Amino acid sequence: MDWRSERGSMLIEVLFLMVLLMLPLFYLVGTLGRLQAGAYAASASAREAGRAYVTAQDGGAAPDRGSAAANLVFDAHGFDAGEGTVSISCSSVPCLTPGGQIAVTSVVQVAIPLIPDFMAGAVPTSVSMTSSHIESVDAFREG
């Protein structure tokens, strides 16, 4: 048998198998990384929105401070303003009553990359990440 006629075929087979195996692996790592960024963004935005809310000087500026803090966190993790939402509720009226609590819920929609539009009905194209945080208003805050 003449082995010279088989030269180079193993290189092509290995290259083909490497591409076949590595592309799904890279896609999986990228997708999991994006989902992890969404989980971090949801958690951090809820926490920071609550902290910014309770440190506001007056009740009128508190919602804007909370939303601004959450949007900064979303932006830092690579999410647009429309991909994340924050809702804030109070345990007492007015909201910044000393000793009261502020409940913050943050939701981030993480789009799964490279899903074609025609498959939108068959597979989910995004994953919703939700986080909640409760922040206490300082008991010694001026009323």
Side-chain angles (χ1 to χ4, degrees):
M1 180 182 254
D2 188 12
W3 293 103
R4 284 178 266 168
S5 65
E6 296 292 325
R7 284 186 77 153
S9 65
M10 183 175 170
L11 178 64
I12 293 170
E13 291 167 3
V14 168
L15 184 63
F16 177 73
L17 287 175
M18 291 273 293
V19 169
L20 191 66
L21 294 175
M22 296 304 278
L23 284 178
L25 183 64
F26 287 148
Y27 176 77
L28 180 66
V29 168
T31 302
L32 290 177
R34 190 66 178 152
L35 291 173
Q36 187 66 40
Y40 284 149
S43 175
S45 65
R47 184 178 62 248
E48 294 305 320
R51 288 179 181 173
Y53 194 98
V54 299
T55 58
Q57 295 299 320
D58 62 352
D64 292 335
R65 283 176 53 97
S67 295
N71 287 332
L72 285 172
V73 172
F74 293 145
D75 188 47
H77 286 87
F79 294 97
D80 295 331
E83 293 176 307
T85 59
V86 172
S87 62
I88 300 172
S89 62
C90 307
S91 66
S92 60
V93 176
C95 283
L96 295 178
T97 302
Q101 291 185 331
I102 308 298
V104 182
T105 302
S106 175
V107 179
V108 178
Q109 293 294 328
V110 181
I112 299 175
L114 302 176
I115 301 288
D117 291 337
F118 69 87
M119 292 184 67
V123 296
T125 58
S126 67
V127 176
S128 179
M129 301 282 183
T130 304
S131 179
S132 298
H133 178 74
I134 295 178
E135 189 73 33
S136 297
V137 179
D138 187 12
F140 300 107
R141 178 188 176 95
E142 290 184 25

